[in-house]
Amino acid sequence: GDSVTQMEGPVTLSEEAFLTINCTYTATGYPSLFWYVQYPGEGLQLLLKATKADDKGSNKGFEATYRKETTSFHLEKGSVQVSDSAVYFCALRGGKLIFGQGTELSVKP
Amino acid sequence: GAVVSQHPSRVICKSGTSVKIECRSLDFQATTMFWYRQFPKQSLMLMATSNEGSKATYEQGVEKDKFLINHASLTLSTLTVTSAHPEDSSFYICSAPTGADSVRYFGPGTRLTVL
């Protein structure tokens, strides 16, 4: 069945560092891909999405490109802030919405 | 943007009692809502799909008699954890799709602790 695998956390970075959170997927067909963010004590919020190969989703300085050839959707940000500290979930939707296990990001001043 | 609310945000109950969690879509109608369970530092696991006007669809391994779902209206779905036990303690999150591309909006979650 469909599945999503994310790099394990926690990831700890200093402010203004470059961020990459790896995400790979297994799916039949052509799923849509998503990154969700969960801030402490809150529900999930959609961060960005891509619906077909080579699409780039972007929001709040975060980017991810749908790579069909490597079945990946890595999340990147050039300069993280303390306020980016949260748990990030990669997800795919073919029929159902399936989440990766989440990656906790902690950004230190 | 669309908003999904949940109530209560946190509940503590005694073992053997039942707890009802409400999920509301505040500015849109949702014929379908999804209930997830999240264990600490783990992913969201889909429990069931709530359908307005018909029975919920449960994922494999989820006890339908224990987790009762009622989609009472186009803006309200409820999850009742019956005869709760400590192993039911978890973070329960609902979600509803809206818009032409069915973007999912998530509630803030309900933290259930069963003593």
Side-chain angles (χ1 to χ4, degrees):
Chain A
D2 295 355
S3 66
V4 177
T5 302
Q6 293 179 231
M7 63 185 288
E8 290 192 17
V11 173
T12 303
L13 296 174
S14 297
E15 206 165 22
E16 299 184 1
F18 185 86
L19 168 71
T20 300
I21 299 177
N22 290 337
C23 170
T24 57
Y25 67 92
T26 302
T28 55
Y30 304 95
S32 295
L33 302 175
F34 306 84
W35 277 100
Y36 284 86
V37 57
Q38 185 178 32
Y39 297 104
E42 299 182 16
L44 274 70
Q45 301 174 28
L46 178 64
L47 180 60
L48 54 84
K49 66 176 183 177
T51 57
K52 61 183 186 297
D54 299 326
D55 267 3
K56 177 186 283 187
S58 62
N59 185 27
K60 299 181 181 179
F62 291 90
E63 292 183 343
T65 301
Y66 190 141
R67 302 286 188 198
K68 193 172 189 305
E69 64 277 13
T70 54
T71 61
S72 65
F73 193 55
H74 305 321
L75 182 68
E76 297 182 336
K77 185 174 186 181
S79 176
V80 293
Q81 305 300 312
V82 172
S83 57
D84 294 326
S85 297
V87 180
Y88 293 81
F89 291 91
C90 185
L92 72 81
R93 189 177 75 211
K96 299 176 183 177
L97 184 60
I98 296 172
F99 291 89
Q101 72 271 33
T103 302
E104 182 179 359
L105 170 66
S106 178
V107 180
K108 306 298 184 184
Chain B
V3 177
V4 175
S5 71
Q6 282 184 241
H7 178 80
S9 59
R10 186 179 297 267
V11 57
I12 300 172
C13 69
K14 293 182 179 180
S15 187
T17 60
S18 293
V19 174
K20 180 185 284 189
I21 302 170
E22 293 185 348
C23 176
R24 293 182 184 272
S25 56
L26 295 186
D27 52 1
F28 66 99
Q29 294 182 334
T31 56
T32 300
M33 291 184 178
F34 302 92
W35 286 96
Y36 293 85
R37 185 171 179 177
Q38 185 183 25
F39 292 99
K41 301 197 182 295
Q42 293 188 29
S43 185
L44 280 73
M45 301 301 298
L46 179 64
M47 298 175 65
T49 301
S50 172
N51 304 298
E52 192 271 337
S54 64
K55 292 182 179 180
T57 304
Y58 290 82
E59 294 301 301
Q60 191 172 8
V62 177
E63 298 177 59
K64 62 180 66 176
D65 293 333
K66 180 163 187 64
F67 298 100
L68 299 179
I69 290 173
N70 181 30
H71 202 130
S73 72
L74 288 172
T75 59
L76 173 65
S77 174
T78 60
L79 168 66
T80 301
V81 183
T82 63
S83 187
H85 289 96
E87 57 266 30
D88 299 325
S89 298
S90 192
F91 196 52
Y92 293 88
I93 301 172
C94 71
S95 171
T98 185
D101 58 356
S102 297
V103 172
R104 299 281 186 85
Y105 289 90
F106 287 80
T110 296
R111 173 76 60 195
L112 170 63
T113 303
V114 184
L115 302 177

